[in-house]
Amino acid sequence: MSNTDLSNEETKLSHATLPRGAQWLVGVAAVALGGLALVLGMGIVGAAVIGLLGFLIGYPLWALLVENRRSATDKLVTGLVWTAFAVAVIPLIWLVYTVVSRGAATLSPEFLTYSMRSVTGDEQGGLYHALMGTLIVTGIAAVISIPIGIMTAIYLIEYGKGNRLAKTITFLVDVMTGIPSIVAGLFAFALFTLLVGPGTRFGFGGGVALSLLMIPTVVRSTEEMLKLVPDDLREAAYALGVPKWRTITKMVLPTAIGGIVTGVVLSISRVIGETAPLLVASGFNPNLNTSPFEDSPMMTVPVFIYTQLSEATAKGVEYAWGGALVLFILVMVLNLIARIVGTIFAPKTGR
Amino acid sequence: ANEEPSGSDGEGTLSGTIKGGGASSQEKGQAAWVAGIQDANPDLSVVYEPVGSGSGREGFITGGYLFAGTDSALNDDEGELTKAKEQCGADPIQVPAYVSPIAVVFNVEGVDELNLDPKTLAGIFSGKITKWNDPAIAATNPDAKLPDSAITPVHRSDDSGTQENFTEYLAAAGGWAEEPSGEWPASIKGGEGGDGTAGVVTAMQGAGYIGFMDESAARENDLATVKVQVGEEFVAPSAEAASKILAASKSVGTSDNDMAVEVARTTTEAGVYPVVLVSYLLACPTYENAEDAANVKGYLEYILSEEGQETASEDAGSAPLDREIADKALELVGAIK
Amino acid sequence: MSIQVKDTSIFYGDFKAVEDVTMSIKPKSVTAFIGPSGCGKSTFLRTLNRMHEVIPGAYVEGKISIHGQDIYGPNVDPVAVRRKVGMVFQRPNPFPTMSIYDNVLAGNKLNSKRIKKSEADSIVESALRGANLWNEVKDRLSKPGMGLSGGQQQRLCIARAIAVQPEVLLMDEPCSALDPISTAAIEDLIHELKSDYTIVIVTHNMQQAARVSDDTGFFNLKAAGQPGHLVEFNPTKQMFTKPDNPDTEAYISGRFG
Amino acid sequence: MSIQVKDTSIFYGDFKAVEDVTMSIKPKSVTAFIGPSGCGKSTFLRTLNRMHEVIPGAYVEGKISIHGQDIYGPNVDPVAVRRKVGMVFQRPNPFPTMSIYDNVLAGNKLNSKRIKKSEADSIVESALRGANLWNEVKDRLSKPGMGLSGGQQQRLCIARAIAVQPEVLLMDEPCSALDPISTAAIEDLIHELKSDYTIVIVTHNMQQAARVSDDTGFFNLKAAGQPGHLVEFNPTKQMFTKPDNPDTEAYISGRFG
Amino acid sequence: MTVAADPGADPGVDTKSELSGRGSMGDVVFRGIAVIAATLIMVALAAVFIFLGIEGIPGFSVDEQHYAGQGSFLGLVVPLLYATMYAAVLALIVAVPFSVAIALFISHYAPRRIATPVAYVIDLLAAVPSVVFGLWGAVVLGPYLVPTHAWLSENLAWLPFFDGQPSGNGRTLFTASIVLAVMILPIITSICREVFAQTPRLHEEAALALGATRWEMVRYAVFPYARSGMVSAVMLGLGRALGETMAIAMIVSPKVLISLFIIGTNNPETIAAHIAQGYKESTPDRLSVLIATGLVLFAFTFLVNALARWIVARGRAK
Ligand SMILES: Nc1ncnc2c1ncn2[C@@H]1O[C@H](COP(=O)(O)OP(=O)(O)OP(=O)(O)O)[C@@H](O)[C@H]1O
Ligand SMILES: Nc1ncnc2c1ncn2[C@@H]1O[C@H](COP(=O)(O)OP(=O)(O)OP(=O)(O)O)[C@@H](O)[C@H]1O
Ligand SMILES: [Mg+2]
Ligand SMILES: [Mg+2]
Ligand SMILES: O=P([O-])([O-])[O-]
């Protein structure tokens, strides 16, 4: 034993601990508390809140009594993190459930392959035209935003470090995230009113509006990922006589690619559901239109959903949920692709 | 799959694409007409963008739209008429095309039927009458079990043709101090706003709420509708009752090509429903491009035809135009070249 | 490739890290730098292939020339300098996205040089053998380089540096993460390499300096916060037996104190 | 605090990194582990304070007890184990956002006993002196720890570990980034510390093992890909003069080959 | 050494030419592209500003009738701006703690089997179009929260937020800020999660080896490391909350006013929602007023970002 002033108690590794499965015991007690609250007429939500609070307070409190303050804090935070997760997941799951259950009924081959051309009353229509439009408009936005966004991030991290231009741009990118989406739409609309002619609403305009919203997201996420590539890897490449641009393209980008792809997909996800700017910039069209540069409106899925909703009919609402589900699936597929790409290129730590 | 024109049996000879836009109130009617004309003319595409009356007129004036729909008639308050004249090279054609009853809807527990007179309606919507068991309401509903709960009147939070027509009605009826407008007056306290007809529909989920919307939307969503006092009787909104209003209205057109009317909101004629929306079509008498001229002419003729009005009535719940007025409009439209 | 350093001072922004170094490094020989921690050995080493300048704000005053050519001259491409002057770092830093095989070939691959498969194989094998790593990894060349232990990773980095056959090789405490067997192998390797290359090595292990180097430079700090400076630069034998400077002797004998 | 290790094997998922180690580490002594790179010295060391288990999939079989208490026992809190068994890593890892001062106090702050400013100052000073860093940093205690050179950083980490006065101190090649003067200071420190603490050190420097340790364990690999194992565990004197095992002798003499 | 020859290692080649710069072309070009891309952002932003200026500045002084009954531009924009900030702040108050907790859950607390699908679902949610959020908020969540509204007004009326007649259908700022929080949660979560996961193992282990509990490890090693990433995540979320249009327009029953009350039928109207609702039937004058409010919002985000930047810089300097 040491001759330091540590007491024997402290030296013991196995201080008194909560019994195994203590969290379950507290959990059961919390459920019982909730049940009691329910019986006392608190309502299901009130009862759940009481039960949850019971657990959140009871578990750390027990730990505080039996173990020590630090362990109690740790348990409190753990409980909070789990609770936050559980509570936040409720609306998420609820929403997903609503979209899937209400959308599934509408989904049919016709719904996916018909447009709304000449569709009235209860006739079968679909969102084929909107789906194509969304793919085209989002594609245009991606083609504009991804190169600009990634190259800008490269400039900021690899070249600009700390200089005036880089600081200005970082700031402007932050400001750009604050452009209200409808303003982006108004901008694109006004721009093409000047360039093409009055009232021009077309696919390309929508793409430009969306790219304005997408670029800052791409820049920010790419920037974060590039920052995470350790400098000593760059130095290792430089020391091998590799020019900076090759170091960036062949080493830095591949190392960060997993995160970059995730960021890009997230930014696509962020704009693919934008309604207001598309309503303004690429307009409304019940017909299929696949030429983004022609001066004729192009339908997109969010606008389809919005117009169907504003019909305020049962069929319109049904189609709106169907459109929501389709958009959802689209993004799911995108995410899946991103995930696969991400894992293929992710750094192979092997540990 | 429905994009290919092959399936249709139309033998019309119109072809090409025309684009118009404007009042969202006409959206459903336009959808019906577009479907009808495209079925008859498989090579024709008509696009109507429901961007709002103001944008529709703007688009028409700048040449972006070949024709436009508007809830308020084109006038020169902001110089629009002059600009339209310049664009067309002549007095623009303006004809009523779409008449639709506006239903006042309510959601009060235990009350299935409600009769209201115009003054009481104005009192409710201006926030002066605040309880469902107010004597003014009880007076016209002696049998109803009116609760002692708050009234929440629902208006449109966006700029709306329906709203403009509804407030015109309230103003004409008296007891409404505000200027009729598509935008809800900011001075009225309380009440609730909804974005678009859909917004009002969702708002109507609340108990104690009262609102107004296109009659077809009220029917679609199974909302109880108020019977409005006209003369001595209480009239429910219906297409037939609404279609009678134009004949009773007086013309306020600024030119031979302009058929704008002032709707007779205060009529006491039996069987007429005065809470209606009247929406117009705008077109030029001449177009530079002969194909455009033929297409616009063909489309507008179809809209004003008996068949066209009937189709809209079925699909959109609008009131078919009085034939006399429709024939006069057809004459104007028929002269397009 | 002889290296001439004249009146060179090195700065990190306002902070002068190394002051007024003058030395002449002989071609095809091993030169070792020793000195206490923080005296600027790494800093100085990095100026020899212009790696110094990747740190923002860092700059060099004075003249450094390799084979008679000023490497900080106006027309000189730092990339070309680094291709001729390879480097191994203190902390192993294999490329995380690459396999062991690709890591060894990184110098070629990152520069997009086309190499035949057979040629690539032989470069990889000889470089890995040189770094005494071949036997341990020959069966898992396609596994990621990050999966190796610390010592294995450092040997991989050495293999990567020698695979591009630089003419000068700078090593910053290359053995500090290696076990004695690997260390001995690297030391042997250094002996072999010096018949072709000029080698400069920083080491905190004086025995290593004594074993492998022909010349030794001793850096020291006058006081904390002061710039480091070169105290003595002499043939290793002389340095370890009768150094010119009493500080050198103190430091070297301190090793065994 | 004596440490008893019995039939312990260590796994990374399916991969058995270390096999069947049994040893008894004496209290208040210095025990050194030597062996070739990749033989599992670091891995074994990390199991002694349950740092091993922070790697997903890693687990331990066998029994390790400190002062008679099974540290993998059912009621044992790994946090408590780590507080008693401090650790210094191979690569310096000061907290990047903290000043030098806060880095030293990081462990004490965790216990968030309010420490008086004067007390904190004296803890910081004595820990930094112990790590032979005080003179270099005393004027810039509020500067970030990352601004130091590699050797200075490592000494800062040692200061941080001894500031919480653990009872056992594990060191994984703590001097591999240090210059000889600092190394000598750390070695002196180890001598001092062993009157209070049990010290276990991994080193690739056999002279260091010979100088500082009372007992030495020699780990080896039968072949690449095979688990490492303990070849011999004996008093250092015996180990370096007449080892039991011929492999040990080969390894130790290889050092000087 | 006799490794296969590297062409550059040929001893016969004159070193002079080898060191002089000719290989730098690629660097110049690549750097040029990067600079152009970065500059493009400035150009685009300047274009938006100029456009908003040209189209919007006339809106500062048009006929009174175009200011939605508020009499003047200031009378209109001040309450709108207030509401925009208010809604965004409410959403952030709800979303940030949850986002950080979920990000931590995924990166440090949950077993991997749970963490991966959870991360996936959260990412997916970023893609739900705002109209769907609006629909869900107005049709599903709002009515569901009606009893909550009633409860709040009964029991917490001493707080100005809940002091008044509660809404009967949940179309309130209260509902909207929850929906807004759900909308920005995935954005904040996914960025925080990435930066949390990238905390160097070395630092985490340093903390653990000092006897830190998991929470202490997070506080000592993870949060300090992730701070700037977290700030930018929050800024992204704030940006989206400030600019969100459709969901708010669809859920909230709006009115141009300044009030803290968030559970009634008259809720402060945000700039974006005001633009969306006015835009549909706008005349040129009205449109320029709307664009002018957009300009104000834009200028405001400018200020907020400058402020955030200043705060971060100050925090770092300490
Ligand atoms: N990137 C940097 N920015 C500012 N100062 C630095 C930087 N790198 C090192 N220094 C400082 O420069 C001086 C020399 O550091 P250097 O790393 O060259 O020492 P060293 O001799 O290599 O030490 P060691 O043996 O510990 O590696 C030290 O005072 C150090 O704090
Ligand atoms: N996190 C990990 N996951 C999987 N395998 C690992 C991990 N860490 C180490 N290993 C493997 O376990 C074995 C022992 O590694 P360890 O780092 O303990 O060796 P070491 O003796 O400390 O070597 P060195 O002297 O190079 O530090 C090696 O084969 C290594 O590849
Ligand atoms: Mg160094
Ligand atoms: Mg090790
Ligand atoms: O049809 P609205 O004009 O009322 O939208």
Side-chain angles (χ1 to χ4, degrees):
Chain A
M1 188 59 51
S2 73
N3 62 354
T4 52
D5 56 357
L6 295 165
S7 70
N8 195 20
E9 182 60 30
E10 271 186 300
T11 309
K12 270 175 70 180
L13 297 174
S14 51
H15 53 70
T17 48
L18 297 184
R20 211 159 259 231
Q23 65 266 50
W24 300 117
L25 277 176
V26 181
V28 170
V31 169
L33 189 66
L36 188 69
L38 193 62
V39 172
L40 292 179
M42 300 276 306
I44 187 98
V45 176
V49 169
I50 298 268
L52 205 61
L53 284 179
F55 183 81
L56 275 182
I57 297 169
Y59 189 38
L61 202 64
W62 192 7
L64 184 62
L65 295 176
V66 178
E67 297 181 347
N68 56 35
R69 207 182 50 75
R70 294 175 56 213
S71 159
T73 313
D74 191 47
K75 293 204 157 68
L76 177 67
V77 174
T78 306
L80 280 176
V81 165
W82 275 87
T83 311
F85 160 72
V87 169
V89 146
I90 290 169
L92 302 185
I93 300 229
W94 189 358
L95 182 72
V96 173
Y97 171 79
T98 315
V99 170
V100 171
S101 65
R102 301 200 58 170
T106 313
L107 232 52
S108 67
E110 291 79 20
F111 186 66
L112 293 174
T113 53
Y114 279 36
S115 70
M116 292 302 281
R117 183 185 165 88
S118 298
V119 173
T120 58
D122 284 337
E123 285 169 34
Q124 172 73 48
L127 51 39
Y128 179 66
H129 58 311
L131 195 56
M132 288 297 128
T134 280
L135 292 178
I136 292 168
V137 170
T138 315
I140 290 171
V143 165
I144 298 172
S145 314
I146 295 173
I148 292 183
I150 292 182
M151 288 310 289
T152 301
I154 287 175
Y155 175 76
L156 294 178
I157 298 297
E158 307 288 338
Y159 290 105
K161 250 183 193 160
N163 75 20
R164 180 89 60 79
L165 179 64
K167 276 188 187 144
T168 315
I169 301 231
T170 312
F171 178 63
L172 292 184
V173 167
D174 282 351
V175 171
M176 224 170 160
T177 62
I179 297 182
S181 55
I182 190 157
V183 169
L186 286 173
F187 166 71
F189 176 64
L191 181 70
F192 290 106
T193 295
L194 281 176
L195 296 182
V196 183
T200 302
R201 289 186 172 79
F202 64 148
F204 186 66
V208 169
L210 291 191
S211 66
L212 222 49
L213 302 171
M214 193 173 158
I215 286 175
T217 332
V218 177
V219 176
R220 290 319 296 263
S221 56
T222 308
E223 229 185 317
E224 291 300 332
M225 292 309 124
L226 292 182
K227 272 188 209 157
L228 295 173
V229 177
D231 271 343
D232 57 354
L233 289 184
R234 293 187 180 89
E235 294 195 349
Y238 298 150
L240 289 170
V242 180
K244 191 161 184 167
W245 72 280
R246 280 190 192 279
T247 304
I248 295 168
T249 52
K250 302 234 160 179
M251 199 282 296
V252 178
L253 286 181
T255 306
I257 194 76
I260 293 178
V261 170
T262 312
V264 164
V265 169
L266 199 72
S267 67
I268 292 179
S269 308
R270 185 219 187 289
V271 298
I272 206 170
E274 280 295 350
T275 318
L278 293 179
L279 209 54
V280 176
S282 54
F284 163 94
N285 190 342
N287 305 316
L288 178 65
N289 170 13
T290 50
S291 352
F293 299 106
E294 189 187 307
D295 177 10
S296 139
M298 182 178 274
M299 196 64 160
T300 49
V301 178
V303 176
F304 172 84
I305 296 171
Y306 184 67
T307 50
Q308 288 301 316
L309 277 179
S310 45
E311 301 254 306
T313 61
K315 180 187 164 198
V317 171
E318 210 177 275
Y319 276 24
W321 285 115
L325 180 58
V326 168
L327 207 52
F328 213 74
I329 294 171
L330 202 65
V331 174
M332 212 141 75
V333 171
L334 266 176
N335 265 281
L336 209 65
I337 293 172
R339 209 151 269 267
I340 292 167
V341 173
T343 25
I344 290 175
F345 292 108
K348 300 166 184 71
T349 54
R351 298 210 161 186
Chain B
N2 56 346
E3 283 286 335
E4 290 88 52
S6 58
S8 81
D9 46 7
E11 55 236 18
T13 52
L14 297 176
S15 68
T17 302
I18 53 171
K19 190 169 83 174
S24 52
S25 54
Q26 293 188 22
E27 186 178 349
K28 275 194 221 167
Q30 288 280 353
W33 295 322
V34 166
I37 191 115
Q38 284 178 166
D39 278 347
N41 299 275
D43 295 329
L44 179 69
S45 274
V46 179
V47 177
Y48 180 84
E49 298 189 90
V51 290
S53 301
S55 304
R57 292 196 299 270
E58 172 82 4
F60 180 70
I61 288 167
T62 54
Y65 293 143
L66 293 175
F67 66 97
T70 174
D71 292 327
S72 45
L74 195 61
N75 58 35
D76 231 358
D77 290 355
E78 301 199 17
E80 284 181 328
L81 190 57
T82 312
K83 284 188 222 155
K85 240 185 232 172
E86 275 165 30
Q87 171 68 27
C88 288
D91 287 322
I93 294 174
Q94 179 156 252
V95 295
Y98 186 81
V99 177
S100 185
I102 299 172
V104 180
V105 294
F106 66 96
N107 175 3
V108 185
E109 231 169 289
V111 181
D112 302 328
E113 280 183 25
L114 203 59
N115 296 331
L116 292 175
D117 60 69
K119 284 221 166 55
T120 309
L121 266 180
I124 290 173
F125 277 93
S126 59
K128 288 182 196 115
I129 297 174
T130 56
K131 292 276 186 196
W132 279 109
N133 59 359
D134 190 280
I137 302 176
T140 48
N141 298 281
D143 302 332
K145 277 194 283 262
L146 293 166
D148 176 30
S149 65
I151 301 179
T152 311
V154 185
H155 57 263
R156 293 278 294 269
S157 57
D158 54 335
D159 193 336
S160 146
T162 310
Q163 184 149 281
E164 186 169 9
N165 280 274
F166 184 67
T167 48
E168 260 173 35
Y169 166 76
L170 294 181
W176 180 259
E178 308 290 337
E179 189 71 13
S181 155
E183 283 185 88
W184 193 250
S187 53
I188 296 179
K189 302 275 173 269
E192 171 151 344
D195 182 31
T197 304
V200 177
V201 170
T202 45
M204 288 307 297
Q205 295 173 101
Y209 282 60
I210 183 167
F212 56 89
M213 64 181 68
D214 204 75
E215 188 270 337
S216 64
R219 216 172 343 114
E220 270 286 343
N221 293 286
D222 291 327
L223 294 168
T225 55
V226 172
K227 281 189 187 141
V228 177
Q229 189 173 34
V230 182
E232 288 310 307
E233 56 179 341
F234 290 91
V235 185
S238 72
E240 304 84 69
S243 67
K244 294 184 188 144
I245 193 101
L246 275 194
S249 302
K250 113 171 171 261
S251 169
V252 294
T254 55
S255 74
D256 291 345
N257 283 349
D258 188 352
M259 288 179 62
V261 294
E262 191 180 300
V263 181
R265 304 287 186 192
T266 50
T267 183
T268 51
E269 224 169 287
V272 178
Y273 185 75
V275 196
V276 294
L277 170 132
V278 177
S279 196
Y280 300 91
L281 283 176
L282 291 176
C284 285
T286 53
Y287 289 90
E288 277 170 23
N289 183 323
E291 192 185 76
D292 285 347
N295 287 341
V296 172
K297 180 178 161 188
Y299 183 49
L300 265 54
E301 279 179 344
Y302 172 72
I303 291 176
L304 295 164
S305 71
E306 221 169 327
E307 186 198 345
Q309 288 294 313
E310 214 39 63
T311 312
S313 182
E314 272 164 33
D315 284 349
S318 66
L321 281 181
D322 181 87
R323 276 331 294 170
E324 211 172 297
I325 290 169
D327 286 341
K328 195 173 156 216
L330 272 172
E331 217 170 284
L332 290 179
V333 169
I336 292 177
K337 10 184 217 306
Chain C
M1 307 291 281
S2 73
I3 305 177
Q4 305 295 332
V5 180
K6 236 189 121 202
D7 303 330
T8 296
S9 297
I10 311 166
F11 299 81
Y12 290 105
D14 293 337
F15 175 59
K16 191 193 252 184
V18 176
E19 188 170 52
D20 228 5
V21 174
T22 300
M23 68 168 68
S24 167
I25 294 169
K26 289 198 219 70
K28 297 190 186 172
S29 73
V30 178
T31 304
F33 297 151
I34 58 174
S37 177
C39 68
K41 306 180 294 291
S42 303
T43 301
F44 179 69
L45 193 75
R46 289 164 59 93
T47 59
L48 298 182
N49 69 343
R50 299 187 60 168
M51 279 301 290
H52 189 59
E53 43 194 84
V54 306
I55 293 167
Y59 66 100
V60 174
E61 273 174 10
K63 187 169 168 172
I64 299 176
S65 47
I66 293 185
H67 214 67
Q69 195 182 354
D70 182 358
I71 61 169
Y72 286 89
N75 268 331
V76 174
D77 181 3
V79 172
V81 173
R82 293 180 201 137
R83 219 171 295 156
K84 292 282 157 258
V85 185
M87 187 156 196
V88 173
F89 294 81
Q90 194 163 0
R91 296 186 191 184
N93 52 6
F95 295 121
T97 49
M98 296 184 187
S99 66
I100 294 173
Y101 187 94
D102 288 344
N103 255 294
V104 176
L105 282 180
N108 296 313
K109 290 230 160 152
L110 290 177
N111 276 316
S112 298
K113 288 218 182 83
R114 287 266 156 86
I115 346 172
K116 270 189 255 115
K117 175 84 177 93
S118 59
E119 198 184 324
D121 286 350
S122 83
I123 292 176
V124 170
E125 179 169 348
S126 62
L128 284 172
R129 276 193 198 284
N132 199 21
L133 191 62
W134 176 250
N135 286 325
E136 281 156 76
V137 301
K138 63 169 183 277
D139 300 325
R140 45 169 171 166
L141 290 175
S142 61
K143 293 276 167 61
M146 295 291 282
L148 301 174
S149 80
Q152 292 166 329
Q153 285 185 20
Q154 184 63 306
R155 284 179 279 151
L156 178 61
C157 293
I158 294 173
R160 179 177 69 185
I162 60 181
V164 296
Q165 294 202 304
E167 304 186 15
V168 179
L169 200 56
L170 309 177
M171 299 183 170
D172 190 350
E173 308 192 17
C175 304
S176 71
L178 298 195
D179 65 289
I181 291 178
S182 301
T183 302
I186 296 293
E187 290 180 5
D188 288 348
L189 180 69
I190 291 172
H191 268 294
E192 271 177 50
L193 291 172
K194 88 170 177 188
S195 58
D196 289 326
Y197 304 133
T198 306
I199 293 169
V200 185
I201 179 168
V202 170
T203 174
H204 60 269
N205 181 332
M206 248 157 295
Q207 288 166 303
Q208 188 174 61
R211 278 196 304 274
V212 303
S213 70
D214 303 302
D215 295 313
T216 298
F218 168 52
F219 286 80
N220 204 352
L221 277 172
K222 287 205 187 76
Q226 293 278 309
H229 63 118
L230 181 64
V231 175
E232 179 169 354
F233 186 80
N234 265 323
T236 303
K237 278 229 178 71
Q238 179 189 340
M239 197 89 158
F240 280 80
T241 49
K242 45 177 177 28
D244 289 348
N245 193 304
D247 286 353
T248 315
E249 182 157 21
Y251 183 74
I252 290 177
S253 58
R255 172 72 186 87
F256 311 105
Chain D
M1 306 290 279
S2 73
I3 306 176
Q4 306 294 333
V5 180
K6 237 190 119 199
D7 303 331
T8 297
S9 297
I10 311 164
F11 299 80
Y12 291 106
D14 294 337
F15 174 61
K16 192 194 251 184
V18 176
E19 191 171 50
D20 230 5
V21 174
T22 299
M23 66 169 72
S24 166
I25 295 170
K26 290 199 222 58
K28 297 191 190 171
S29 72
V30 178
T31 303
F33 298 151
I34 58 173
S37 177
C39 68
K41 305 179 294 294
S42 302
T43 301
F44 177 69
L45 193 75
R46 289 165 60 94
T47 58
L48 298 183
N49 70 342
R50 298 187 63 169
M51 277 303 289
H52 189 59
E53 42 194 80
V54 308
I55 292 167
Y59 65 100
V60 175
E61 275 175 7
K63 186 169 168 172
I64 300 177
S65 46
I66 294 185
H67 212 69
Q69 295 176 71
D70 183 356
I71 61 168
Y72 287 89
N75 269 333
V76 175
D77 182 3
V79 171
V81 174
R82 291 181 202 137
R83 218 174 310 149
K84 292 284 158 255
V85 186
M87 186 158 200
V88 174
F89 293 82
Q90 195 162 0
R91 298 185 189 185
N93 53 1
F95 294 120
T97 50
M98 292 185 192
S99 66
I100 294 172
Y101 188 93
D102 289 342
N103 255 294
V104 176
L105 279 181
N108 302 62
K109 287 205 174 154
L110 284 180
N111 292 298
S112 26
K113 293 174 199 132
R114 286 274 151 83
I115 324 174
K116 266 185 263 122
K117 176 83 178 92
S118 58
E119 199 184 326
D121 287 349
S122 83
I123 293 176
V124 169
E125 179 169 348
S126 64
L128 285 173
R129 277 191 199 284
N132 198 21
L133 190 62
W134 175 247
N135 286 323
E136 280 156 77
V137 300
K138 65 168 179 282
D139 299 326
R140 44 170 170 165
L141 290 175
S142 61
K143 294 277 166 61
M146 293 296 279
L148 301 174
S149 79
Q152 292 167 329
Q153 284 184 20
Q154 183 62 306
R155 282 179 280 151
L156 177 61
C157 293
I158 293 174
R160 180 178 64 189
I162 59 182
V164 295
Q165 299 201 299
E167 305 188 13
V168 180
L169 200 56
L170 309 178
M171 299 184 172
D172 191 351
E173 308 193 19
C175 304
S176 72
L178 299 194
D179 65 290
I181 291 178
S182 301
T183 302
I186 295 291
E187 290 179 8
D188 288 347
L189 180 69
I190 292 173
H191 269 293
E192 273 177 43
L193 291 172
K194 90 171 175 187
S195 59
D196 289 329
Y197 303 136
T198 305
I199 293 169
V200 185
I201 179 169
V202 170
T203 175
H204 61 269
N205 181 331
M206 245 155 299
Q207 288 165 302
Q208 186 170 65
R211 278 195 306 272
V212 302
S213 71
D214 304 303
D215 295 312
T216 299
F218 170 51
F219 286 79
N220 205 354
L221 279 171
K222 286 205 186 76
Q226 293 278 312
H229 62 121
L230 182 63
V231 176
E232 181 170 351
F233 187 81
N234 264 322
T236 304
K237 280 227 177 69
Q238 179 188 342
M239 197 90 158
F240 280 81
T241 48
K242 42 177 181 23
D244 290 349
N245 192 302
D247 286 353
T248 313
E249 182 156 24
Y251 183 74
I252 290 177
S253 58
R255 173 70 185 88
F256 312 104
Chain E
M1 274 302 281
T2 50
V3 184
D6 178 326
D10 224 344
V13 178
D14 174 29
T15 2
K16 271 210 160 91
S17 63
E18 278 177 42
L19 291 186
S20 48
R22 65 193 143 95
S24 58
M25 202 50 214
D27 262 333
V28 172
V29 172
F30 192 75
R31 189 198 163 94
I33 296 174
V35 172
I36 290 171
T39 319
L40 258 176
I41 287 192
M42 279 167 86
V43 171
L45 209 62
V48 174
F49 234 130
I50 290 169
F51 148 77
L52 287 176
I54 291 176
E55 303 276 315
I57 284 174
F60 291 141
S61 55
V62 292
D63 201 85
E64 214 180 282
Q65 75 190 71
H66 298 293
Y67 294 122
Q70 304 303 310
S72 70
F73 183 72
L74 271 187
L76 173 65
V77 83
V78 169
L80 289 183
L81 191 57
Y82 161 80
T84 308
M85 271 158 56
Y86 190 37
V89 166
L90 287 177
L92 280 185
I93 288 174
V94 180
V96 169
F98 279 110
S99 303
V100 171
I102 296 178
L104 265 187
F105 179 79
I106 293 170
S107 66
H108 284 88
Y109 279 83
R112 239 187 236 172
R113 255 174 314 123
I114 299 179
T116 314
V118 166
Y120 186 61
V121 169
I122 304 253
D123 276 355
L124 267 187
L125 274 155
V128 177
S130 40
V131 274
V132 175
F133 274 110
L135 177 64
W136 178 74
V139 175
V140 183
L141 185 66
Y144 185 83
L145 290 179
V146 169
T148 314
H149 283 75
W151 187 87
L152 287 171
S153 93
E154 264 167 45
N155 297 288
L156 295 178
W158 47 276
L159 287 170
F161 315 107
F162 308 124
D163 180 17
Q165 174 75 31
S167 159
N169 53 21
R171 299 177 68 253
T172 61
L173 206 53
F174 179 75
T175 306
S177 51
I178 292 176
V179 173
L180 216 49
V182 178
M183 291 176 77
I184 60 176
L185 186 130
I187 294 174
I188 305 180
T189 302
S190 62
I191 295 178
C192 286
R193 179 192 71 185
E194 291 286 351
V195 287
F196 288 166
Q198 299 290 348
T199 313
R201 168 131 252 149
L202 281 176
H203 299 143
E204 294 179 8
E205 292 191 348
L208 289 175
L210 287 172
T213 59
R214 184 154 51 173
W215 165 237
E216 289 159 346
M217 184 264 281
V218 167
R219 254 181 52 206
Y220 270 77
V222 180
F223 279 169
Y225 182 82
R227 196 166 47 198
S228 85
M230 283 161 76
V231 169
S232 71
V234 171
M235 290 310 293
L236 271 183
L238 178 68
R240 172 133 200 209
L242 287 175
E244 177 48 42
T245 314
M246 291 332 269
I248 294 197
M250 290 168 74
I251 295 171
V252 176
S253 158
K255 190 158 182 81
V256 182
L257 80 158
I258 295 183
S259 150
L260 287 174
F261 185 51
I262 55 171
I263 57 170
T265 55
N266 281 188
N267 300 274
E269 182 170 34
T270 66
I271 290 181
H274 184 72
I275 296 176
Q277 310 208 316
Y279 159 81
K280 279 187 270 178
E281 296 274 347
S282 56
T283 57
D285 278 351
R286 180 84 181 102
L287 188 64
S288 65
V289 172
L290 296 180
I291 291 177
T293 61
L295 180 63
V296 169
L297 175 51
F298 197 22
F300 175 71
T301 46
F302 209 100
L303 281 181
V304 168
N305 274 296
L307 195 70
R309 197 152 278 274
W310 182 72
I311 291 171
V312 170
R314 237 186 85 213
R316 218 172 267 143
K318 269 190 191 163

